[in-house]
Amino acid sequence: MVCSAGRNPMQTERMRIAHDLWECGIKANICYDSKDMVSLEEQQEFCKQNGIQHIVVLKEQDAGHVRVRSFDKGKFTESRVQRAELVAHLQAKFSTRPEPTESSAPLGNKGANTQSGNETSSTVVAEMKVSFNTQEKWAWNTKRRYESLMMFKIKPLLTHISSKNAVEVIAVDLPGVALRDMSVMLDLDASQDAFDASVATIADKTPRYKKYLGRVCNDIRDLKVSKKEPVVLVYSVKDEVVEIFF
């Protein structure tokens, strides 16, 4: 999990770190909550409950460094690591190095080099292709109103996503906590049986939305697996929360 502590959400820095981790085969999750900042304690508890062993914490005052909180033997321990050594630090903590996958980079390989200012394409805002998967059918004018709001909320993220095609965004009326569960537990690259099992696990946490949640998960998998979309954003119109599926 890549998160920040303090008043500054540090969205750009979190995206850059997630990009570097994914390119090295380390899966990383980012929670983008535009309504209010999730406290570090809440994020830590979420990681603890969902088996996420390492949290990369960014603090505005820690220029050039990050904090890595690792959960082991029932407690979190913290290390202060130089930004340039983060990947090596995390790899040293893994018993086996994760294998990269085809969808392992949240940013495109071209024009997404965050180490250099010479790539002009990294500043181009990707287009957004919005689809609505809501429990009830929405009127056209309602969709337009929410689409404008989504563009305002999501635009900061789009500036850090390099894509030749429009970025797929699914608008849902699931609560933000359900999206966070999906981003951690949804097994998109596995077999159909394993995928269905991961959906069932998520649904057990929010039984009220069981059927609807399954429909949303199938949409995400269709975009990621069948249509080979490199990045899919899912936006909660309930809580104004965005989760990124790489």
Side-chain angles (χ1 to χ4, degrees):
M1 172 77 79
V2 181
C3 63
S4 60
R7 295 180 178 273
N8 187 350
M10 304 181 73
Q11 298 162 16
T12 301
E13 292 83 355
R14 284 189 289 153
M15 288 290 292
R16 288 174 176 170
I17 287 177
H19 169 252
D20 292 347
L21 295 177
W22 276 87
E23 282 207 325
C24 294
I26 301 174
K27 290 187 177 182
N29 177 58
I30 302 175
C31 172
Y32 177 76
D33 192 331
S34 59
K35 197 169 186 178
D36 55 0
M37 287 293 293
V38 179
S39 71
L40 183 58
E41 289 73 20
E42 288 177 304
Q43 295 181 77
Q44 189 166 283
E45 183 62 26
F46 175 81
C47 293
K48 184 178 177 181
Q49 291 178 359
N50 290 280
I52 301 174
Q53 290 185 306
H54 306 289
I55 309 173
V56 179
V57 183
L58 282 71
K59 294 185 178 181
E60 195 171 15
Q61 63 269 29
D62 284 349
H65 290 78
V66 298
R67 308 290 178 110
V68 178
R69 292 192 174 190
S70 300
F71 186 71
D72 185 34
K73 297 179 180 179
K75 64 178 182 178
F76 279 97
T77 57
E78 183 175 283
S79 305
R80 191 169 184 264
V81 182
Q82 287 190 9
R83 169 69 178 83
E85 297 176 358
L86 175 60
V87 171
H89 178 81
L90 289 173
Q91 287 176 339
K93 287 181 172 290
F94 299 141
S95 57
T96 57
R97 182 173 177 174
E99 292 295 330
T101 62
E102 292 181 2
S103 60
S104 62
L107 308 182
N109 291 328
K110 296 182 180 179
N113 187 348
T114 58
Q115 303 300 321
S116 171
N118 296 327
E119 297 287 351
T120 57
S121 60
S122 62
T123 61
V124 177
V125 179
E127 293 184 9
M128 190 170 79
K129 183 179 178 182
V130 179
S131 60
F132 285 82
N133 186 337
T134 51
Q135 296 180 80
E136 304 293 337
K137 189 174 181 179
W138 283 10
W140 176 84
N141 59 337
T142 303
K143 290 182 179 180
R144 290 291 296 173
R145 177 162 53 86
Y146 273 100
E147 192 169 333
S148 298
L149 177 63
M150 289 163 59
M151 174 57 78
F152 175 76
K153 298 291 186 182
I154 295 175
K155 190 174 181 180
L157 289 180
L158 297 180
T159 60
H160 306 294
I161 297 176
S162 177
S163 177
K164 294 181 180 179
N165 302 318
V167 175
E168 294 280 353
V169 181
I170 306 175
V172 301
D173 51 353
L174 284 167
V177 66
L179 266 61
R180 295 188 188 106
D181 288 339
M182 288 161 59
S183 70
V184 172
M185 293 183 281
L186 192 59
D187 202 344
L188 294 170
D189 298 322
S191 66
Q192 184 66 49
D193 288 345
F195 168 76
D196 291 341
S198 69
V199 173
T201 301
I202 299 166
D204 286 342
K205 286 178 166 284
T206 50
R208 176 183 174 184
Y209 301 96
K210 185 174 183 178
K211 291 183 179 180
Y212 173 49
L213 190 145
R215 196 172 80 207
V216 173
C217 290
N218 283 327
D219 275 4
I220 298 171
R221 191 172 198 241
D222 181 60
L223 289 170
K224 288 291 300 169
V225 177
S226 301
K227 297 182 180 178
K228 305 294 184 183
E229 293 290 343
V231 182
V232 175
L233 274 61
V234 182
Y235 179 88
S236 166
V237 298
K238 279 182 175 289
D239 294 335
E240 297 181 10
V241 170
V242 180
E243 283 293 345
I244 309 172
F245 293 82
F246 299 127

